Amino acid sequence: MKIRKLHNLILLCVLITAANRVNAQTKVGIKAGVNFSNVTMKDENGNQINTQSVPGILLGLTVDIPVSGNFYIQPAAQYSRKGYKQETGGFYGSASNFKVNASYIELPVSLLYKPRLGGGNLLLGAGPYIGYGTGGNWKSDSDAAIGDIVVGKKETLFLKTMRWMAGILIHISMENHWIMD
């Protein structure tokens, strides 16, 4: 059922793009960058566990659809790799040099405000997105334990999960169409 909803959302984005493609102001863009994700974890006593961010890749396509004046709707489809690492105490104290990477297909839809700023535009936006976990892996110098179950030093993650989130955008675009966050 969840896969069907994901397919319907992708189909909706494709239909919106196709319907508005004839409009000269509709712009299709390529999104590429680096994610610096991290997690917040607590141990069984409620103490925060130290983690560090792991760089991951972000690739996608965006469509800027004009709504009115400087307002646009921007649906996108993107691949995102996220993760974190712990040098000591990984996986609740049972592993050392613990590192997790997870891959997602994300479908954000943002409402953008794009006023002119010098030779480009200021982009302010916000909106929800749905993400679907497609897999990942973890590595550790030692075996990791989940309760009394010991798992290996390197495992594959099976993330067939959906998640709903919201985000905020702040960009500056230059006349040559490059965007800086």
Side-chain angles (χ1 to χ4, degrees):
M1 183 69 180
K2 291 181 181 181
I3 295 292
R4 187 170 177 86
K5 288 181 183 178
L6 180 63
H7 288 133
N8 288 342
L9 188 56
I10 291 171
L11 179 62
L12 179 63
C13 289
V14 169
L15 290 174
I16 289 171
T17 302
N20 285 292
R21 189 71 177 133
V22 295
N23 185 342
Q25 293 180 356
T26 299
K27 295 194 188 309
V28 176
I30 297 172
K31 189 177 199 178
V34 178
N35 283 328
F36 291 99
S37 61
N38 202 348
V39 298
T40 301
M41 294 174 46
K42 293 185 179 181
D43 64 16
E44 61 275 357
N45 297 322
N47 300 318
Q48 186 162 335
I49 298 173
N50 292 326
T51 61
Q52 296 86 37
S53 64
V54 172
I57 191 168
L58 174 72
L59 296 170
L61 293 173
T62 64
V63 179
D64 289 359
I65 303 167
V67 176
S68 174
N70 292 331
F71 289 93
Y72 294 79
I73 292 178
Q74 184 187 68
Q78 58 195 33
Y79 167 81
S80 180
R81 185 118 170 131
K82 301 176 181 184
Y84 73 96
K85 65 181 177 180
Q86 290 176 272
E87 293 178 6
T88 59
F91 212 81
Y92 294 95
S94 67
S96 58
N97 291 320
F98 187 72
K99 182 178 178 181
V100 175
N101 285 307
S103 298
Y104 295 91
I105 299 295
E106 298 173 337
L107 301 170
V109 179
S110 300
L111 176 62
L112 300 180
Y113 176 62
K114 296 181 6 175
R116 295 289 295 164
L117 180 68
N121 290 88
L122 173 65
L123 281 77
L124 302 172
Y129 78 87
I130 183 170
Y132 181 72
T134 60
N137 59 52
W138 84 57
K139 291 190 283 185
S140 175
D141 289 345
S142 59
D143 290 341
I146 305 169
D148 59 354
I149 301 170
V150 177
V151 294
K153 296 177 187 178
K154 186 175 182 180
E155 297 289 332
T156 302
L157 299 175
F158 297 99
L159 299 171
K160 303 301 180 192
T161 60
M162 299 283 274
R163 65 181 195 180
W164 296 84
M165 302 285 288
I168 298 173
L169 305 169
I170 301 174
H171 304 286
I172 297 174
S173 71
M174 303 302 175
E175 198 61 44
N176 59 7
H177 304 289
W178 288 99
I179 296 176
M180 296 182 296
D181 288 339

